[in-house]
Amino acid sequence: MSESGSPDGGVALRGGPDADAVAGESFEAVVVGAGPGGATAAAVLADHGVETLVLERGVEAGSKNVSGGLLYAEESAPYTIDDVFPGFREAATERPVTEYYLHNVAGDRVKTFDITDLHEHDTEWSDAVLRRRMDSWLAERVHERTRETGGGLLTDVHVDGLLREDGEIVGVTCEELDPVRAEVVIAADGVNSGLARDAGLMDHEEPEEWFQGVKAVVDVPDVDDRFGVGADEGVAHLFSGDLFEGVRGGGFLYTNDESVSVGTVFHLDSLVAEAAEPHELLDALLTHPLLADWLGDDYREREYAAKLVPDSKKVALREPHRGRLLVVGDAAGQMQAQGPIIKGMNHAVTAGALAAEAFARARSRHRPEEAGSLYAAKLRDEGVMEKLRPRAYDLVSAVGEREDAERLTDRLLESSVGRAGVRLLGDGLERLYSSPRLASLVPDTRTPYVTLPTVIAEELGERVVATGRVEPPSLEERIGALTYDTDVGNPHIEVLDESWAASGAAVAACPVSALDFGGGCYREERVTRNGREERVVSLDTQPCVECGTCAIVADTEWTHPRGGKGVEFREG
């Protein structure tokens, strides 16, 4: 593994506050996390003249962040990221998505639908992004704007809790600094938000409330030629069907400037139930013959990464605030996954801006304590909550996600009658897939992810004649290519119950572990105690990619490593 050193304590961007100057000080606002949600919140706060400090735990903004890679700007949104940061698309994104396809797969048979119309519904633009490049560019802009009001951005700082006085939230505590006081705290600290948990807001700890995404950034220097696009064009491809061992979810491929992002996203409960290995499911996509010409003979991965993703339909916080704490982005469960469209970063941007706007308004009325309720009202009034937690989905899921309904639907689809219906609909299915209304009602069952696309491919698909030529790296090679600054003596994971029954799911579900691999984060061991052999789970935190999966599927105590420590993503 390559090593990256980082100093103890915070590192300010040029011209900003240093750690000694910040420690123990008070600011009007503290924003935790410098991803798109936190960056937008900080910029809008600064534009309202609010003294704002931004605290980021990575060595650089983006070094801890991973996403599939598409950032949307919705026509109906009150804020888009280029509204807040002029020149953003030209400087910080990869390619615009101008074509969008869904591939239904059954073995080597594939039926492809063009669902560009669905992708373009309510879309002003959509660009592929890589988080390290994007977030570090945003951080520079944020620092410039916040320092004008007496604040700035400080990296290498892990905010580990809320500062309270007489039971009221008055700031944050940090491992590297003395407590920092603030009139408002905006938590944009990601899917494993320590602040949301500290406030009692994040209680979604069941596997069915989460997705897990695994991703490889692959070097493709001739994107234009391989994908038949122009310099200012890009393509998004989605994959579903039988190539993922029956796990509910699918795959994606997005074109960047000189690379592609290829990954898989699965319902975590299905991943655990099937004891599927995330890296093997990714390899199943990479080696499918449909991707052979796109990935070519010279396959080289730039980076392997993973993250946990909240299912907003189930967990998006309707009241994402507690006292002086306002929560935005993944920390508030604001990740929309409905049908083949996945949107998260754009909602974090909107939420960050609305949270900042709410505090600025409450402050102008000399009632900053009202910022949280104003923020929640803005999310409702602007239609954000209806996108994240559509009421129609609640009604459909109550019936459509029952096991007996799922079994009946699958049997019907796989019967001669169901197959005849698929053949009869033919290309009319493309229009159904392109319906925004239907996309918002897709149930979280095997039917839309596995059964239906498999039947579609078997009945309507064509055989792919190319030969898959990709040889993916081993899990050991992928881990070894990542950059870590190991936090010796400060493990961020503790296994509370090492028994296989309590924590064994982590061995398979962890994206850097495997049942047959002894060098990952989690691994199986057999020990003899009192004359009896037991199957237990052992842990090595060094190769952890900090996705947080194990905190959901195993009996562990999980937190973020100290500021600047742990994994550092170069692409994200």
Side-chain angles (χ1 to χ4, degrees):
M1 302 177 193
S2 54
E3 296 289 334
S4 172
S6 62
D8 292 331
V11 177
L13 294 180
R14 184 176 59 257
D18 60 25
D20 291 336
V22 166
E25 291 297 314
S26 296
F27 293 83
E28 290 179 303
V30 168
V31 176
V32 182
T40 302
V44 174
L45 285 167
D47 291 348
H48 281 88
V50 178
E51 181 190 32
T52 304
L53 175 69
V54 184
L55 299 175
E56 162 59 41
R57 65 188 176 91
V59 296
E60 181 182 57
S63 65
K64 292 291 185 182
N65 296 337
V66 177
S67 75
L70 293 191
L71 172 59
Y72 283 82
E74 292 184 324
E75 294 172 350
S76 61
Y79 286 92
T80 61
I81 198 165
D82 56 332
D83 291 335
V84 182
F85 297 98
F88 168 80
R89 296 184 69 193
E90 295 78 8
T93 72
E94 298 291 310
R95 288 173 181 262
V97 176
T98 52
E99 302 172 35
Y100 205 96
Y101 299 99
L102 174 64
H103 304 283
N104 300 275
V105 180
D108 61 356
R109 298 186 68 85
V110 178
K111 176 60 178 177
T112 298
F113 294 141
D114 183 339
I115 57 171
T116 305
D117 287 349
L118 175 63
H119 162 73
E120 293 181 347
H121 171 72
D122 193 30
T123 299
E124 185 177 331
W125 55 263
S126 174
D127 288 358
V129 299
L130 293 171
R131 291 295 298 273
R132 184 67 178 260
R133 175 189 174 193
M134 181 182 83
D135 290 7
S136 60
W137 185 90
L138 290 172
E140 290 283 352
R141 307 303 64 83
V142 165
H143 179 63
E144 292 168 2
R145 283 154 78 164
T146 54
R147 71 178 180 179
E148 292 178 1
T149 63
L153 187 149
L154 201 61
T155 63
D156 282 355
V157 177
H158 173 213
V159 174
D160 61 359
L162 295 165
L163 179 66
R164 293 179 172 88
E165 286 184 359
D166 300 323
E168 298 295 322
I169 297 169
V170 296
V172 296
T173 60
C174 317
E175 292 191 43
E176 297 78 15
L177 307 174
D178 290 337
V180 179
R181 301 173 63 88
E183 292 182 33
V184 68
V185 177
I186 296 182
D189 52 337
V191 67
N192 302 302
S193 172
L195 297 186
R197 291 186 184 278
D198 191 352
L201 292 172
M202 183 182 286
D203 60 358
H204 37 286
E205 296 185 346
E206 298 301 324
E208 59 265 27
E209 298 171 333
W210 300 86
F211 302 92
Q212 184 203 73
V214 174
K215 168 185 173 182
V217 178
V218 181
D219 195 43
V220 179
D222 53 346
V223 169
D224 294 8
D225 292 338
R226 292 196 194 186
F227 290 88
V229 295
D232 294 322
E233 298 174 326
V235 187
H237 293 279
L238 301 183
F239 309 87
S240 60
D242 72 352
L243 73 169
F244 299 122
E245 300 180 13
V247 184
R248 300 194 329 272
F252 63 86
L253 183 153
Y254 306 140
T255 52
N256 303 318
D257 282 343
E258 295 182 341
S259 66
V260 294
S261 295
V262 187
T264 53
V265 181
F266 297 104
H267 287 80
L268 187 56
D269 61 326
S270 183
L271 198 66
V272 171
E274 301 297 333
E277 304 278 5
H279 69 284
E280 292 181 353
L281 298 178
L282 173 62
D283 290 349
L285 175 60
L286 291 170
T287 57
H288 193 276
L290 181 61
L291 279 67
D293 291 337
W294 295 332
L295 299 182
D297 296 319
D298 51 349
Y299 182 84
R300 185 180 75 85
E301 283 186 13
R302 293 186 182 181
E303 187 169 75
Y304 173 75
K307 74 167 295 185
L308 207 59
V309 183
D311 185 351
S312 72
K313 302 188 300 294
K314 299 179 176 70
V315 304
L317 299 176
R318 300 188 190 277
E319 297 290 333
H321 60 94
R322 181 67 51 83
R324 298 188 187 188
L325 175 71
L326 281 60
V327 188
V328 306
D330 276 359
Q334 295 167 341
M335 208 296 300
Q336 177 186 5
Q338 286 151 2
I341 300 296
I342 297 179
K343 298 179 179 179
M345 290 178 283
N346 62 305
H347 293 310
V349 167
T350 296
L354 294 179
E357 195 178 87
F359 174 70
R361 180 177 298 181
R363 172 174 165 264
S364 70
R365 297 174 179 175
H366 306 289
R367 304 191 69 169
E369 69 278 3
E370 295 180 351
S373 57
L374 283 173
Y375 166 50
K378 286 177 177 289
L379 289 173
R380 292 191 295 271
D381 294 345
E382 295 289 352
V384 178
M385 286 309 303
E386 181 57 25
K387 294 175 184 176
L388 295 172
R389 297 194 71 165
R391 299 182 189 281
Y393 172 80
D394 291 340
L395 297 174
V396 170
S397 64
V399 176
E401 293 183 8
R402 291 172 46 187
E403 289 187 11
D404 54 351
E406 177 186 0
R407 286 194 298 269
L408 178 62
T409 304
D410 282 359
R411 283 201 298 269
L412 176 60
L413 279 171
E414 292 171 332
S415 70
S416 58
V417 174
R419 291 176 180 276
V422 166
R423 292 193 299 272
L424 183 62
L425 284 170
D427 287 337
L429 286 165
E430 186 171 273
R431 291 192 297 274
L432 295 177
Y433 270 102
S434 296
S435 166
R437 180 65 175 171
L438 290 178
S440 69
L441 301 179
V442 172
D444 285 340
T445 65
R446 280 179 53 94
T447 305
Y449 294 102
V450 182
T451 311
L452 177 58
T454 300
V455 171
I456 288 173
E458 289 172 345
E459 298 301 322
L460 304 176
E462 297 180 358
R463 197 173 303 279
V464 179
V465 297
T467 301
R469 303 185 295 275
V470 171
E471 295 185 8
S474 67
L475 186 57
E476 182 178 13
E477 290 170 328
R478 283 168 165 158
I479 296 171
L482 291 170
T483 298
Y484 291 90
D485 186 356
T486 306
D487 199 3
V488 178
N490 292 283
H492 64 284
I493 308 173
E494 178 185 359
V495 179
L496 302 179
D497 185 340
E498 66 177 0
S499 70
W500 191 260
S503 300
V507 180
C510 172
V512 288
S513 300
L515 289 172
D516 60 351
F517 176 54
C521 189
Y522 286 89
R523 51 186 170 268
E524 174 191 3
E525 289 188 350
R526 294 184 181 273
V527 299
T528 301
R529 292 173 179 159
N530 300 321
R532 191 175 70 180
E533 187 179 73
E534 294 182 22
R535 193 181 187 192
V536 300
V537 174
S538 64
L539 171 67
D540 177 0
T541 61
Q542 181 172 353
C544 175
V545 289
E546 301 169 37
C547 64
T549 296
C550 58
I552 307 300
V553 305
D555 190 5
T556 64
E557 184 71 32
W558 193 100
T559 185
H560 294 289
R562 292 188 303 156
K565 301 296 184 179
V567 70
E568 177 187 344
F569 293 114
R570 299 183 303 275
E571 304 278 349

